[in-house]
DNA sequence: TTATATTTTTAGATAAGTCTAAATTTGAAT
DNA sequence: ATTCAAATTTAGACTTATCTAAAAATATAA
């Protein structure tokens, strides 16, 4: 059984690898985990010895299949627990991440599978991120940032790129939630801000907000 | 924040102290935790230094108020999670203990309080053990082992003294559950076994079974 | 291409929790 | 009161995960 620490390393490497094609660098892992680079360097050797990652000195690391399986399972649990917290215990979507960081390490396939059924087999977590199935498959939605839409186009909110509490609370304040329809009324070249219509209201969204909001257009 | 390890020591000391008036001995803790006595001895010094227990060499230890608070909170969480697993996820009462041993360490008062509400503020766990309230008060039921009943008397099953999987499965097999009425028909002095009536059926229970079954008599 | 900056690794320490083996203390039994 | 067994503690060691400081490798930039 992987320790909490090892599980966190693997999950972090998995997530960093989605961004950087060549794998996860020591420094990136260090920053993501809040652990010093020297410590990470040490740990990478151990993970390599356990054949959970492939590691060559001074090079970015990649997960082996075994490592990926563990990482994806942790993510599966994280996201299912987030759904539980929001759907059943009425937490808000900006309150659940840290709790899920703890719950994701509870070690029981039976528990997570039953939880999944209890929640009616959700496909996405409260932030729109896909929930891996029990075989580790992840069905990613074909979504794009709001910045891809042209004036006059519209889409439905499917997720967030930035899931910081600040951004989530901002969206709540603007009454923007997953599933909402958003129509682009006008794009201002000056600061790339957009005037949009959503939930019957007209509002202005900064470029930064638009970059961090994912929508699905009817194709 | 107490580590998982410290939490487990405190919980164990609390539970052992319910049985032995003078406190918990090194050996008893060692056996309960599956940790060598030498290790326990070392740890007791540390817990004393943190003022979570009072410890004098070669003497049984007792919890301080701070130590008791932590222990009771862990027990509260353990029992609430057990209710969740049985009531919401349909686990059987003999399947939940090990999972609760993990879940009890999830650190969030908000989570446990919401969980409690979600479960409709249960007062007892699936084994009949009382769930401490958020102030650490434990309302113990005035129950007695089935061996206390005389021939002709009856009571309602309120709990088990032995909550091993084997015993719980035995009770399931006999269709004996919390809340069932049990009437003592006859007590055999030879082996102290009893003939009882419960759930419309007559059956024979060994003295050992009767000692481990708690009932409440209408008084 | 050489110098500089950044990244990564190594070396040496530390803390928590555990173990085995040996020493000590306690308590029970002659 | 002495002896012996059981319980407990001490000593020394190990593992995991972490740190700081220093060295080495790589990448960048003049
Ligand atoms: Mn999260
Ligand atoms: Mn999420
Ligand atoms: Mn239990
Ligand atoms: Mn229980």
């Amino acid at each position: 059984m992987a320790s909490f620490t090892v599980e966190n390393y693997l999950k972090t490497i998995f997530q960093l690898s989605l961004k950087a094609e060549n794998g996860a660098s020591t420094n990136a892992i260090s920053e993501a985990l809040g652990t010093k680079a020297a410590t990470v360097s040490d740990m990478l050797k151990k993970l390599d010895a356990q054949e959970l990652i492939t590691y060559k000195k001074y090079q970015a690391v990649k997960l082996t299949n075994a490592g990926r399986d563990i990482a994806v399972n942790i993510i599966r649990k994280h996201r299912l627990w987030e759904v539980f917290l929001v759907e059943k215990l009425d937490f808000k979507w900006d309150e659940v991440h840290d709790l899920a960081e703890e719950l994701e390490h509870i070690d029981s396939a039976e528990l997570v599978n039953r939880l999944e059924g209890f929640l009616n087999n959700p496909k996405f977590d409260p932030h729109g991120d896909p929930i891996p199935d029990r075989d580790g498959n992840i069905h990613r939605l074909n979504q794009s940032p709001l910045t891809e839409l042209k004036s006059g186009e519209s889409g439905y909110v499917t997720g967030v790129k930035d899931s910081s509490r600040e951004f989530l609370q901002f969206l709540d304040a603007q009454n923007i939630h997953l599933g909402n329809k958003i129509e682009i009324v006008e794009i201002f070249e000056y600061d790339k801000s957009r005037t949009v219509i959503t939930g019957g209201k007209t509002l202005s969204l900064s470029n930064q907000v638009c970059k961090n909001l994912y929508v699905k257009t009817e194709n």
Side-chain angles (χ1 to χ4, degrees), chain A residues 91-110:
Chain A
F91 280 95
K92 304 217 193 74
W93 69 341
D94 63 297
E95 299 175 319
V96 296
H97 185 76
D98 290 350
L99 279 169
E101 285 293 314
E102 288 193 59
L103 288 160
E104 69 189 4
H105 301 289
I106 300 293
D107 173 43
S108 164
E110 183 66 24

Side-chain angles (χ1 to χ4, degrees), chain A residues 85-158:
Chain A
L85 294 170
V86 167
E87 296 289 315
K88 302 295 184 180
L89 301 193
D90 292 320
F91 280 95
K92 304 217 193 74
W93 69 341
D94 63 297
E95 299 175 319
V96 296
H97 185 76
D98 290 350
L99 279 169
E101 285 293 314
E102 288 193 59
L103 288 160
E104 69 189 4
H105 301 289
I106 300 293
D107 173 43
S108 164
E110 183 66 24
L111 171 57
V112 65
N113 291 342
R114 286 188 189 226
L115 180 65
E116 185 177 40
F118 179 59
L119 299 171
N120 294 310
N121 306 297
K123 300 303 173 213
F124 301 96
D125 84 359
H127 314 103
D129 293 312
I131 296 172
D133 70 23
R134 58 188 77 182
D135 296 318
N137 304 305
I138 305 177
H139 295 289
R140 273 173 224 289
L141 214 56
N142 190 10
Q143 61 188 3
S144 39
L146 194 50
T147 47
E148 297 282 302
L149 296 203
K150 302 196 185 73
S151 194
E153 295 181 330
S154 64
Y156 292 88
V157 179
T158 50

Side-chain angles (χ1 to χ4, degrees), chain A residues 10-25:
Chain A
L10 295 175
K11 184 181 62 157
T12 298
I13 292 166
F14 178 86
Q15 283 164 340
L16 290 171
S17 299
L18 295 179
K19 306 261 164 182
E21 331 66 50
N22 56 323
S25 74

